[in-house]
Amino acid sequence: KTYDTGVALCSLRIMTSYQTPDSKKEEFRKYLEKSGVIDALTKVLVGLYEEPERPPNAVDYIKRYMGAPTGVDVEALRQENESLRKEREELRNTVNELNARLSDDLQHDN
């Protein structure tokens, strides 16, 4: 009886870990629906459709509607972020070195 249960559990794990492309699509669709993405996209597309004059840049219209800033150079921001991270790390190392020196100086003075 224990063996049969083990085999059944093993089979169940294999069946649930193997998903067909259709089941993955369905799972993703459910995720989008549950998280509100489908409703938000539907609203923005209806808003775009109902515009009396088509905006020259539909993507910018969608970004504005969804609350994202437009005209922002994302790659430049990423590079600046990386540069600032490196600078922060260098400053942390400098602070650690100075603290170690100060500690050594205080120990030698005593």
Side-chain angles (χ1 to χ4, degrees), residues 7 19-22 24 34 37 43-44 46 63 71 75 77 83 85 87 91 93 95-96 98-100 108-109:
V7 170
Q19 292 182 324
T20 65
D22 287 340
K24 284 184 179 181
K34 185 176 180 180
V37 172
K43 287 177 185 175
V44 72
V46 167
K63 285 180 181 180
E75 188 54 37
L77 289 174
S83 174
R85 286 177 191 261
E87 182 180 350
L91 290 171
N93 290 337
V95 166
N96 289 338
L98 292 172
N99 282 333
H108 286 113
D109 288 345

Side-chain angles (χ1 to χ4, degrees), residues 13-76:
R13 284 189 196 120
I14 290 170
M15 288 171 48
T16 57
S17 66
Y18 176 77
Q19 292 182 324
T20 65
D22 287 340
S23 65
K24 284 184 179 181
K25 287 179 186 176
E26 181 62 19
E27 182 180 312
F28 186 66
R29 187 197 62 74
K30 286 179 182 178
Y31 160 74
L32 292 176
E33 189 173 328
K34 185 176 180 180
S35 62
V37 172
I38 292 177
D39 285 340
L41 289 174
T42 300
K43 287 177 185 175
V44 72
L45 292 174
V46 167
L48 180 59
Y49 176 78
E50 291 176 348
E51 278 293 314
E53 294 181 31
R54 299 281 185 245
N57 189 332
V59 173
D60 281 347
Y61 173 88
I62 292 170
K63 285 180 181 180
R64 276 194 313 279
Y65 193 96
M66 300 294 282
T70 58
V72 175
D73 186 352
V74 175
E75 188 54 37

